[in-house]
Amino acid sequence: MTNASYPIGTPGRPWGEAEVAAWRSRQSIKRSYETDVLSVIGTLRGRFDVSEYGRLEYASGSYPLFAIRSRAWRDELPVALVTGGVHGYETSGVHGALQFVDRHAADYAGRVNLLVAPCVSPWGYERIHRWNANALDPNRSFRADSPAQESTALMRLVAPLRDRVLVHIDLHETTDSDESEFRPALAARDGKASEPGEIPDGFYLVDDSAHPQPAFQQAIIVAVAKVTHIAPADAKGEIIGSPMVAPGVIEYALKQLGLCASITSAPYKTTTEVYPDSPRATPEQCNDAQAAAVCAAIDFALAHPAG
Ligand SMILES: [Zn+2]
């Protein structure tokens, strides 16, 4: 397969502004951030502190960004950071984060300060897309002078707490559309050939190759396995092209790749990857898996605070 199969651009040549504009014109609103997400955040205001931490400004409109905090915030307690919807199309990342706040956050009162950013990329949420309106992947853009507003706003929110975060869990999905749409689009955008790959059937985690925490990752895998199935390695012993280092776990160089999970100096960091397209997984199960992962991550971190 080459990028000749992608309908925008010239094979072998990276996109310029005209191609990005052509791509953007093909993206339409498929669901509502206000109806699906802001309304749920509104129902949490009675129990949690909700604040607007930024606003995305695009020609097609602007999107307020919201963070949810423990009401009884105490500076002497560690911080648990939960992020969802960095990839707007990854539905259970958004709704799993909100479900965690609604059903489980109260269990942690007085033990840890919770900071939850449930939908980092609302433009992508509405269009069910991986990129922002400028055809940039927010989850490759967490770096100084980021070109992605989504990433800049989240980094600014977290900066004052950067060294006080004990655990950060970033909620994602791996979907069939990664292989059918988003990888071919990426290859076309960058003027490269698209290499076919496999989509793993099941849940997995991404650890930090610079500071791996295998016992922490395994505690999350054990908890999520009670809710949904864990992805096996492929014939090469890999999950999406990376060696499986333990059941359901791969490692990335978070910082070099500009990934969201690199934005704090937390000793415990992980990225969840739920598989919503499995015939064996319902949307409810996907949200449950995300919430179970968050609880297991915080429980492990609080039980092993030294890292
Ligand atoms: Zn993702």
Side-chain angles (χ1 to χ4, degrees):
M1 193 200 287
T2 70
N3 60 357
S5 64
Y6 200 79
I8 293 168
T10 307
R13 192 187 302 166
W15 291 0
E17 273 180 40
E19 289 81 12
V20 170
W23 165 83
R24 191 187 303 116
S25 73
R26 295 165 65 100
Q27 309 308 318
S28 60
I29 292 179
K30 299 183 176 73
R31 57 186 179 182
S32 167
Y33 176 55
E34 192 167 346
T35 304
D36 297 359
V37 180
L38 297 186
S39 67
V40 179
I41 292 174
T43 67
L44 300 169
R45 284 177 185 270
R47 292 180 284 151
F48 300 93
D49 287 343
V50 174
S51 61
E52 185 176 323
Y53 70 88
R55 183 172 277 267
L56 305 180
E57 299 289 356
Y58 288 119
S60 58
S62 73
Y63 291 90
L65 301 166
F66 288 96
I68 304 164
R69 281 185 177 77
S70 306
R71 179 144 287 168
W73 189 280
R74 282 167 37 197
D75 282 336
E76 70 273 22
L77 294 177
V79 175
L81 173 64
V82 181
T83 46
V86 169
H87 286 140
Y89 71 114
E90 295 171 1
T91 307
S92 72
V94 177
H95 295 287
L98 292 169
Q99 179 172 313
F100 165 75
V101 175
D102 183 41
R103 300 188 193 171
H104 306 286
D107 301 343
Y108 296 97
R111 295 197 286 148
V112 64
N113 298 317
L114 299 172
L115 174 59
V116 181
C119 190
V120 172
S121 185
W123 187 95
Y125 180 88
E126 290 201 326
R127 289 154 184 85
I128 314 189
H129 210 289
R130 183 175 176 87
W131 291 341
N132 71 8
N134 298 320
L136 296 173
D137 185 337
N139 209 30
R140 296 294 183 278
S141 306
F142 288 93
R143 50 180 95 247
D145 302 318
S146 174
Q149 302 175 48
E150 294 81 1
S151 309
T152 302
L154 186 67
M155 286 189 289
R156 197 172 292 150
L157 170 72
V158 170
L161 302 167
R162 205 181 162 278
D163 298 324
R164 289 165 47 202
V165 176
L166 173 66
V167 53
H168 176 194
I169 180 165
D170 187 32
L171 307 181
H172 285 252
E173 294 181 342
T174 298
T175 67
D176 289 348
S177 58
D178 287 332
E179 183 66 15
S180 63
E181 169 62 25
F182 299 129
R183 287 177 191 165
L186 174 65
R189 187 195 70 184
D190 295 345
K192 295 176 177 163
S194 183
E195 305 282 347
E198 269 180 61
I199 297 298
D201 179 2
F203 177 94
Y204 65 98
L205 291 171
V206 182
D207 198 358
D208 185 359
S209 58
H211 301 282
Q213 288 283 10
F216 168 67
Q217 307 294 337
Q218 236 18 251
I220 301 169
I221 291 289
V222 166
V224 173
K226 293 171 187 158
V227 179
T228 191
H229 56 288
I230 306 303
D234 63 17
K236 290 189 280 188
E238 297 177 343
I239 294 177
I240 60 160
S242 291
M244 192 173 85
V245 297
V249 181
I250 61 171
E251 295 174 350
Y252 280 176
L254 302 181
K255 194 87 193 165
Q256 282 94 316
L257 290 168
L259 297 174
C260 181
S262 74
I263 62 173
T264 75
S265 51
Y268 298 109
K269 301 169 186 174
T270 196
T271 302
T272 66
E273 296 288 350
V274 162
Y275 180 49
D277 297 320
S278 174
R280 294 191 278 158
T282 65
E284 293 71 32
Q285 234 173 347
C286 293
N287 293 342
D288 291 348
Q290 301 282 20
V294 175
C295 292
I298 298 174
D299 291 344
F300 186 95
L302 289 176
H304 306 83

mmCIF file of all heavy atoms in Angstrom, residues 27 53 66 71 77 80 87 109 147 163 184 203 224 226 236-237 244 249 265 268 275:
data_model
loop_
_atom_site.group_PDB
_atom_site.id
_atom_site.type_symbol
_atom_site.label_atom_id
_atom_site.label_comp_id
_atom_site.label_asym_id
_atom_site.label_seq_id
_atom_site.Cartn_x
_atom_site.Cartn_y
_atom_site.Cartn_z
ATOM 1 N N GLN A 27 -13.863 16.956 6.986
ATOM 2 C CA GLN A 27 -14.231 16.550 8.350
ATOM 3 C C GLN A 27 -15.541 17.231 8.745
ATOM 4 O O GLN A 27 -15.658 18.447 8.666
ATOM 5 C CB GLN A 27 -13.123 16.939 9.341
ATOM 6 C CG GLN A 27 -11.727 16.482 8.931
ATOM 7 C CD GLN A 27 -11.662 15.000 8.589
ATOM 8 O OE1 GLN A 27 -12.266 14.159 9.276
ATOM 9 N NE2 GLN A 27 -10.927 14.665 7.535
ATOM 10 N N TYR A 53 -9.776 25.612 31.864
ATOM 11 C CA TYR A 53 -8.315 25.804 31.870
ATOM 12 C C TYR A 53 -7.782 26.315 30.538
ATOM 13 O O TYR A 53 -6.572 26.557 30.413
ATOM 14 C CB TYR A 53 -7.601 24.516 32.295
ATOM 15 C CG TYR A 53 -7.637 23.361 31.313
ATOM 16 C CD1 TYR A 53 -6.663 23.235 30.320
ATOM 17 C CD2 TYR A 53 -8.612 22.382 31.396
ATOM 18 C CE1 TYR A 53 -6.674 22.169 29.437
ATOM 19 C CE2 TYR A 53 -8.641 21.321 30.519
ATOM 20 C CZ TYR A 53 -7.669 21.216 29.542
ATOM 21 O OH TYR A 53 -7.669 20.162 28.663
ATOM 22 N N PHE A 66 -12.167 21.931 30.113
ATOM 23 C CA PHE A 66 -12.476 21.887 31.537
ATOM 24 C C PHE A 66 -11.642 20.845 32.278
ATOM 25 O O PHE A 66 -11.354 19.771 31.755
ATOM 26 C CB PHE A 66 -13.960 21.579 31.753
ATOM 27 C CG PHE A 66 -14.835 22.746 31.391
ATOM 28 C CD1 PHE A 66 -15.427 22.831 30.136
ATOM 29 C CD2 PHE A 66 -15.030 23.782 32.303
ATOM 30 C CE1 PHE A 66 -16.217 23.918 29.793
ATOM 31 C CE2 PHE A 66 -15.821 24.878 31.967
ATOM 32 C CZ PHE A 66 -16.411 24.950 30.712
ATOM 33 N N ARG A 71 -12.697 18.451 45.580
ATOM 34 C CA ARG A 71 -13.135 19.660 46.291
ATOM 35 C C ARG A 71 -12.270 19.904 47.533
ATOM 36 O O ARG A 71 -11.879 21.033 47.811
ATOM 37 C CB ARG A 71 -14.604 19.499 46.675
ATOM 38 C CG ARG A 71 -15.133 20.680 47.436
ATOM 39 C CD ARG A 71 -16.563 20.975 47.072
ATOM 40 N NE ARG A 71 -16.691 21.554 45.753
ATOM 41 C CZ ARG A 71 -17.852 21.702 45.110
ATOM 42 N NH1 ARG A 71 -18.964 21.272 45.663
ATOM 43 N NH2 ARG A 71 -17.895 22.249 43.925
ATOM 44 N N LEU A 77 -1.110 16.544 50.211
ATOM 45 C CA LEU A 77 -1.396 15.237 49.607
ATOM 46 C C LEU A 77 -0.772 15.144 48.212
ATOM 47 O O LEU A 77 -0.610 16.151 47.532
ATOM 48 C CB LEU A 77 -2.908 15.029 49.478
ATOM 49 C CG LEU A 77 -3.705 14.923 50.778
ATOM 50 C CD1 LEU A 77 -5.199 14.789 50.466
ATOM 51 C CD2 LEU A 77 -3.226 13.736 51.612
ATOM 52 N N ALA A 80 -3.044 12.854 41.794
ATOM 53 C CA ALA A 80 -3.273 11.862 40.736
ATOM 54 C C ALA A 80 -3.878 12.600 39.545
ATOM 55 O O ALA A 80 -4.891 13.291 39.686
ATOM 56 C CB ALA A 80 -4.204 10.757 41.212
ATOM 57 N N HIS A 87 -6.769 12.038 22.179
ATOM 58 C CA HIS A 87 -7.277 11.687 20.849
ATOM 59 C C HIS A 87 -8.798 11.738 20.934
ATOM 60 O O HIS A 87 -9.414 10.880 21.583
ATOM 61 C CB HIS A 87 -6.808 10.297 20.428
ATOM 62 C CG HIS A 87 -5.363 10.269 20.050
ATOM 63 N ND1 HIS A 87 -4.530 9.237 20.392
ATOM 64 C CD2 HIS A 87 -4.615 11.164 19.345
ATOM 65 C CE1 HIS A 87 -3.316 9.494 19.907
ATOM 66 N NE2 HIS A 87 -3.347 10.657 19.273
ATOM 67 N N ALA A 109 -11.147 10.639 48.606
ATOM 68 C CA ALA A 109 -11.157 11.900 49.364
ATOM 69 C C ALA A 109 -10.256 11.775 50.586
ATOM 70 O O ALA A 109 -10.299 10.774 51.310
ATOM 71 C CB ALA A 109 -12.582 12.242 49.781
ATOM 72 N N PRO A 147 3.019 23.137 18.620
ATOM 73 C CA PRO A 147 2.120 23.749 17.644
ATOM 74 C C PRO A 147 0.648 23.409 17.894
ATOM 75 O O PRO A 147 -0.221 23.961 17.218
ATOM 76 C CB PRO A 147 2.589 23.137 16.320
ATOM 77 C CG PRO A 147 3.150 21.801 16.700
ATOM 78 C CD PRO A 147 3.723 21.963 18.089
ATOM 79 N N ASP A 163 5.807 18.459 39.614
ATOM 80 C CA ASP A 163 6.655 17.642 40.476
ATOM 81 C C ASP A 163 5.904 17.064 41.670
ATOM 82 O O ASP A 163 6.509 16.417 42.520
ATOM 83 C CB ASP A 163 7.862 18.464 40.944
ATOM 84 C CG ASP A 163 8.726 18.888 39.761
ATOM 85 O OD1 ASP A 163 8.850 18.089 38.804
ATOM 86 O OD2 ASP A 163 9.259 20.020 39.785
ATOM 87 N N PRO A 184 -3.045 5.487 7.226
ATOM 88 C CA PRO A 184 -2.898 5.971 5.844
ATOM 89 C C PRO A 184 -2.885 7.505 5.759
ATOM 90 O O PRO A 184 -2.116 8.071 4.975
ATOM 91 C CB PRO A 184 -4.123 5.386 5.128
ATOM 92 C CG PRO A 184 -4.472 4.157 5.917
ATOM 93 C CD PRO A 184 -4.140 4.504 7.349
ATOM 94 N N PHE A 203 -7.134 -5.182 25.486
ATOM 95 C CA PHE A 203 -6.590 -4.039 26.223
ATOM 96 C C PHE A 203 -5.089 -4.193 26.396
ATOM 97 O O PHE A 203 -4.589 -5.289 26.634
ATOM 98 C CB PHE A 203 -7.278 -4.000 27.600
ATOM 99 C CG PHE A 203 -6.793 -2.926 28.534
ATOM 100 C CD1 PHE A 203 -7.448 -1.708 28.598
ATOM 101 C CD2 PHE A 203 -5.690 -3.144 29.363
ATOM 102 C CE1 PHE A 203 -7.014 -0.713 29.468
ATOM 103 C CE2 PHE A 203 -5.253 -2.151 30.231
ATOM 104 C CZ PHE A 203 -5.911 -0.940 30.287
ATOM 105 N N VAL A 224 -7.894 -4.789 35.129
ATOM 106 C CA VAL A 224 -8.678 -4.637 33.901
ATOM 107 C C VAL A 224 -9.099 -6.005 33.346
ATOM 108 O O VAL A 224 -10.175 -6.126 32.744
ATOM 109 C CB VAL A 224 -7.906 -3.811 32.846
ATOM 110 C CG1 VAL A 224 -8.637 -3.803 31.513
ATOM 111 C CG2 VAL A 224 -7.698 -2.389 33.346
ATOM 112 N N LYS A 226 -10.343 -8.336 34.778
ATOM 113 C CA LYS A 226 -11.637 -8.734 35.363
ATOM 114 C C LYS A 226 -12.800 -8.108 34.600
ATOM 115 O O LYS A 226 -13.944 -8.523 34.759
ATOM 116 C CB LYS A 226 -11.702 -8.309 36.831
ATOM 117 C CG LYS A 226 -10.703 -9.062 37.709
ATOM 118 C CD LYS A 226 -10.652 -8.464 39.107
ATOM 119 C CE LYS A 226 -9.524 -9.136 39.909
ATOM 120 N NZ LYS A 226 -9.078 -8.282 41.028
ATOM 121 N N LYS A 236 5.010 -12.122 16.112
ATOM 122 C CA LYS A 236 6.381 -11.647 16.332
ATOM 123 C C LYS A 236 6.666 -11.311 17.801
ATOM 124 O O LYS A 236 7.729 -10.782 18.128
ATOM 125 C CB LYS A 236 6.641 -10.393 15.472
ATOM 126 C CG LYS A 236 6.711 -10.712 13.978
ATOM 127 C CD LYS A 236 7.195 -9.508 13.174
ATOM 128 C CE LYS A 236 6.073 -8.511 12.934
ATOM 129 N NZ LYS A 236 6.425 -7.421 12.012
ATOM 130 N N GLY A 237 5.686 -11.599 18.682
ATOM 131 C CA GLY A 237 5.863 -11.253 20.096
ATOM 132 C C GLY A 237 5.666 -9.784 20.369
ATOM 133 O O GLY A 237 6.129 -9.255 21.384
ATOM 134 N N MET A 244 6.270 -6.998 23.314
ATOM 135 C CA MET A 244 5.466 -7.097 24.539
ATOM 136 C C MET A 244 6.424 -7.487 25.667
ATOM 137 O O MET A 244 7.004 -8.565 25.651
ATOM 138 C CB MET A 244 4.347 -8.125 24.372
ATOM 139 C CG MET A 244 3.329 -8.055 25.497
ATOM 140 S SD MET A 244 1.896 -9.129 25.215
ATOM 141 C CE MET A 244 2.555 -10.665 25.871
ATOM 142 N N VAL A 249 1.683 -5.389 28.022
ATOM 143 C CA VAL A 249 2.453 -4.152 28.245
ATOM 144 C C VAL A 249 3.519 -3.975 27.164
ATOM 145 O O VAL A 249 4.273 -4.904 26.862
ATOM 146 C CB VAL A 249 3.135 -4.138 29.636
ATOM 147 C CG1 VAL A 249 3.898 -2.823 29.854
ATOM 148 C CG2 VAL A 249 2.110 -4.349 30.747
ATOM 149 N N SER A 265 6.576 14.736 36.177
ATOM 150 C CA SER A 265 7.687 13.886 36.619
ATOM 151 C C SER A 265 7.170 12.794 37.550
ATOM 152 O O SER A 265 7.891 12.314 38.416
ATOM 153 C CB SER A 265 8.759 14.737 37.291
ATOM 154 O OG SER A 265 8.167 15.547 38.287
ATOM 155 N N TYR A 268 4.916 7.184 38.606
ATOM 156 C CA TYR A 268 4.036 6.194 37.979
ATOM 157 C C TYR A 268 3.286 6.829 36.818
ATOM 158 O O TYR A 268 2.516 7.779 37.018
ATOM 159 C CB TYR A 268 3.029 5.647 38.993
ATOM 160 C CG TYR A 268 3.670 4.922 40.147
ATOM 161 C CD1 TYR A 268 3.669 5.479 41.428
ATOM 162 C CD2 TYR A 268 4.299 3.701 39.949
ATOM 163 C CE1 TYR A 268 4.272 4.815 42.486
ATOM 164 C CE2 TYR A 268 4.902 3.041 41.005
ATOM 165 C CZ TYR A 268 4.887 3.596 42.274
ATOM 166 O OH TYR A 268 5.483 2.936 43.312
ATOM 167 N N TYR A 275 -9.694 -1.572 23.441
ATOM 168 C CA TYR A 275 -10.065 -1.946 22.069
ATOM 169 C C TYR A 275 -11.584 -2.006 21.936
ATOM 170 O O TYR A 275 -12.213 -3.009 22.293
ATOM 171 C CB TYR A 275 -9.438 -3.298 21.712
ATOM 172 C CG TYR A 275 -9.765 -3.749 20.305
ATOM 173 C CD1 TYR A 275 -9.613 -2.882 19.218
ATOM 174 C CD2 TYR A 275 -10.230 -5.034 20.052
ATOM 175 C CE1 TYR A 275 -9.914 -3.295 17.924
ATOM 176 C CE2 TYR A 275 -10.523 -5.459 18.765
ATOM 177 C CZ TYR A 275 -10.368 -4.580 17.706
ATOM 178 O OH TYR A 275 -10.673 -4.979 16.425
#
